[in-house]
């Protein structure tokens, strides 16, 4: 049926983006407390609350004599970040509470991105678990550790949607999909903050970042310009930030990039109209690191001008620039900003401190006894090991190469096999890089006595030493081997000769992804590739254990290597977790949260694309005057949602409770999933929907639901999804949140490509 688009028939709700949550009940006691406190504050002290300097780290006792101590005493600091350890944090808090005029406590932030000292897999890997309960529990665990060590605020979750694997920060988010990203954002906020009242001393404030669109940096080059239509923003990029706001996130970090020609840090539409007026956000907004002073280079004014613009736009806290601290008083005198604006920002910071309970007890966070008991505890590490194993994605497994037999000799080769400092992955500032086991150690631990594990490095990370230097920053060395390429390779060939099977640990170093780690070539680097070729030439079976923080182009590897396990960066317990999966003690169940392209030229490649007026017929490669390439087909190497298991799952046909629904009803879609293989295992059952005819063009499919189920070998389960009118909504050309009557296609399957399809109608 053709869809009729008439105002009267279009079920339209502006609620999501247009109704401020002005219904938020004010806490009168808090308001009174803050009114009273602010009545005593000078303008300088109010501006001081907006200042978030980074101090690096102190040794205990040193803070008292530092320049920062002087600032704290004068009331020129609202919070600090990058200090680790209860004693140090308490030292500094004592200065604020006992030696500043009004004794206002500081808030202590840190990038607790994927765990604290117990590091979980990098966020992209966490997303690959498709398990929101696990993700929430990991955030909870991180909060327990961080809070016991004095941290009250984490700069997480990072929810930037990205479709460009050239961008290094792909590793820090949940991938390409807004629905999955939104579900993860909610889970993480809940995990960190608990019930949002911070009633316990292990519930810390979350900070959703980077608001907004940071993942759409042009050419995948970090910090680069973004530019997109509002309709794309609303439908494809904003949802995870909004989900975090709905989950009650306490703070938001503005992104480095510009939006519509104005850097996010000073973008009033973004920080006030959208975030506060439309979404009803009532926490505070912090800039990113030097985000304010960077607007000088963006070209919108000097430090005084950009600081005033940021405040006027709705930014409350200045991370590192000292723009607020240095210039707002002057701008106020010159009439460029108002006292009201300073008051508003100051109140928001004080409210956060009040809600966290810092006025009642400035030392609420940080407890040596709990820290000793909880941080890096056996219990947390056991959980991290389980999570890491759940995040790995089996990309290929010809002839059941995996799991490995528990006997014989395994040759482990590659620069990442003995790379302790790289195991945690990027952005793991609190974790000790020397604590994780190496992959070789992990394999030996788990292997048992019937297996002989031998190791040869085989190659460095890359031929070019200067590249390896750039890609192993922050002490995450790969101990570059100065022997010749040939010597290294021969050693690996000799090891392989003694082995029954080869495990090649190749891919990226931890800092080849992450901040300021953009790449234009996403292949496995030169010498590593040569090593892999040499291993394949031995004729022995080869398992590629792929370390990566982003989708990489492994088209050649997919063609030639019998088994590929993508292990991302799995955190402190990655090594035993990899061994658990390789030996079959754990059946892999991860699914890709992002498309893996065949080559860099296909980028951006994402599953929820539009159809174009000249789509390529399914299964075709090239047709003249169709939307395609001369030199590669349009398909990804591995589609979004893809991931194999040691067992197999069969999907029955989709059963709909009715083939039509209206805006006052809902239907259900069920499918029987059967474990048809020999192993027990988990499967992520995915629901996609396509709106066949719209007032604006709609994607060829969009993820609208998922459920992770566990099935014993031979077992079947019915999985049921509810299709509600809400699920069918999108932003139309007027940015109204609507659904439109007409035909829809509903798809259920094990990834975005392999689905069963059925139609239904919205009347
Ligand atoms: C990053 C943020 C981070 C901040 C504080 C910035 O460079 O973009 O994600 O939270 O530093 O460390």
């Amino acid at each position: 049926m053709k869809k009729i688009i008439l105002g009267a028939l279009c079920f339209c709700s502006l609620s999501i983006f247009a109704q401020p949550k002005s219904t938020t009940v004010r806490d009168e006691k808090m308001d009174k407390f803050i009114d009273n406190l602010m009545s005593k504050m000078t303008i300088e002290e109010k501006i001081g609350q907006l200042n978030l300097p980074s101090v690096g780290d102190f040794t205990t006792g040193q803070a008292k004599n530092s320049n920062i101590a002087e600032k704290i005493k004068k009331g020129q600091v609202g919070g600090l970040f990058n200090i680790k350890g209860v004693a140090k944090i308490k030292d500094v808090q004592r200065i604020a509470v006992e030696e500043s005029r009004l004794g206002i406590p500081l808030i202590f932030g840190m990038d607790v991105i994927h765990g604290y000292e117990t590091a979980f897999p990098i966020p992209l890997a966490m997303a690959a678990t498709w398990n929101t309960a696990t993700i929430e529990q990991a955030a909870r665990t991180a909060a327990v550790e961080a809070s016991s060590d004095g941290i009250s605020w984490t700069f997480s979750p990072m929810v930037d949607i990205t479709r460009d694997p050239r961008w290094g920060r792909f590793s820090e988010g949940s991938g390409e999909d807004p629905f999955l990203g939104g579900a993860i954002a909610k889970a993480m906020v809940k995990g960190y903050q608990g019930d949002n009242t911070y009633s316990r001393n292990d519930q810390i404030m979350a900070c959703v970042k980077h608001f907004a669109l940071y993942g759409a940096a042009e050419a995948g080059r970090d910090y680069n310009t973004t530019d997109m239509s509002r309709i794309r923003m609303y439908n494809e990029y904003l949802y995870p930030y909004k989900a975090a706001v709905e989950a009650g996130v306490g703070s938001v970090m503005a992104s480095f990039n510009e939006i519509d020609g104005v850097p996010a840090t000073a973008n009033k539409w973004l920080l006030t109209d959208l975030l506060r007026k439309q979404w009803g956000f009532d926490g505070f907004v912090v800039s990113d690191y030097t985000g304010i002073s960077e607007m000088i280079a963006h070209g919108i004014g000097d430090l005084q001008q950009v600081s005033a613009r940021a405040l006027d736009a709705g930014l409350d806290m200045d991370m590192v620039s000292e723009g607020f601290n240095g210039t707002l008083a002057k701008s106020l005198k010159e009439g460029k900003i108002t006292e009201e604006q300073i008051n508003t920002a100051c109140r928001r910071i004080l409210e956060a401190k009040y809600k966290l309970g810092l006025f009642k007890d400035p030392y609420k966070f940080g407890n040596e006894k709990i820290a000793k008991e909880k941080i890096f505890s056996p219990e947390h590490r056991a959980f991290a090991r389980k999570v890491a194993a759940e995040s790995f994605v089996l990309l290929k497994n010809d002839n059941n190469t995996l799991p490995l037999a528990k006997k014989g000799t395994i040759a482990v080769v590659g620069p990442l096999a003995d790379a302790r400092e790289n195991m945690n992955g990027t952005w793991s500032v609190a974790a000790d890089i020397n604590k994780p086991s190496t992959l070789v150690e992990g394999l030996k631990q788990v292997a048992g006595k019937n297996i002989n594990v031998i190791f040869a490095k085989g190659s460095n990370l890359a031929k070019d030493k200067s590249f390896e230097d750039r890609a192993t920053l922050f002490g995450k060395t790969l101990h570059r081997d100065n022997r010749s390429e040939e010597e290294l390779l021969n050693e690996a060939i000799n090891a392989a000769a003694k082995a029954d099977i080869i495990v090649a640990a190749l891919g990226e170093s931890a800092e080849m992804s992450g901040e300021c780690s953009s790449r234009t070539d996403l292949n496995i680097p030169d010498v590593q590739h040569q090593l892999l070729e040499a291993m394949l030439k031995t004729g022995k079976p080869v398992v590629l254990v792929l370390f990566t923080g982003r989708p990489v182009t492994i088209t050649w590897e997919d063609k030639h290597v019998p088994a590929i396990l993508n292990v991302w960066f799995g955190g402190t317990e990655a090594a035993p977790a990899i061994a658990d999966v390789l030996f079959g003690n754990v059946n892999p169940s991860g699914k890709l949260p992002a498309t893996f392209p065949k080559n860099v030229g296909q980028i951006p490649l994402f599953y929820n694309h539009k159809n174009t007026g000249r789509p390529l017929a399914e299964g075709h490669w090239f047709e003249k005057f169709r939307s395609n390439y001369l030199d590669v087909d349009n398909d990804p190497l591995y589609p979004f949602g893809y991931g194999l298991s040691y067992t197999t799952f069969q999907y029955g046909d989709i059963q709909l409770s009715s083939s039509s629904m209206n805006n006052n009803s809902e239907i259900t879609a069920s499918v029987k999933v059967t474990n048809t293989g020999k192993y027990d295992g988990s499967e992520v059952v995915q629901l996609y929907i396509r709106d066949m005819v719209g007032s604006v063009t709609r994607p060829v499919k969009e993820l609208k639901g998922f459920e992770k189920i566990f099935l014993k070998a031979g077992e079947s389960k019915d999985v049921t999804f509810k299709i509600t009118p809400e699920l069918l909504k999108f932003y139309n050309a007027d940015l109204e949140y609507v659904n439109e009557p007409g035909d829809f296609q509903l798809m259920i399957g094990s990834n975005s490509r392999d689905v069963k399809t059925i139609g239904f109608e919205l009347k």
Side-chain angles (χ1 to χ4, degrees), residues 665-724:
S665 67
E666 48 190 45
I667 57 174
T668 57
S670 302
V671 74
K672 189 184 280 306
V673 184
T674 306
N675 181 343
T676 49
K678 290 199 204 100
Y679 294 83
D680 301 346
S682 293
E683 166 72 336
V684 180
V685 183
Q686 301 162 38
L687 167 76
Y688 297 88
I689 290 182
R690 177 173 185 178
D691 189 347
M692 299 305 290
V693 183
S695 56
V696 292
T697 60
R698 307 284 298 120
V700 295
K701 62 184 67 149
E702 292 173 293
L703 182 74
K704 291 291 178 182
F706 58 91
E707 195 179 325
K708 192 162 190 174
I709 55 167
F710 175 79
L711 291 176
K712 289 196 160 304
E715 198 190 349
S716 295
K717 247 181 212 165
D718 287 319
V719 176
T720 300
F721 295 102
K722 224 197 265 177
I723 316 301
T724 63

Side-chain angles (χ1 to χ4, degrees), residues 255-300:
S255 54
F256 288 126
N257 55 284
E258 67 172 68
I259 293 172
D260 289 336
V262 181
T265 313
N267 194 310
K268 198 168 190 167
W269 170 78
L270 185 77
L271 301 185
T272 296
D273 296 348
L274 181 69
L275 181 64
R276 293 192 183 278
K277 294 191 185 154
Q278 295 182 29
W279 293 358
F281 174 66
D282 67 355
F284 73 86
V285 182
V286 62
S287 79
D288 201 345
Y289 202 105
T290 59
I292 291 185
S293 52
E294 287 177 23
M295 290 192 286
I296 304 169
H298 273 286
I300 64 163

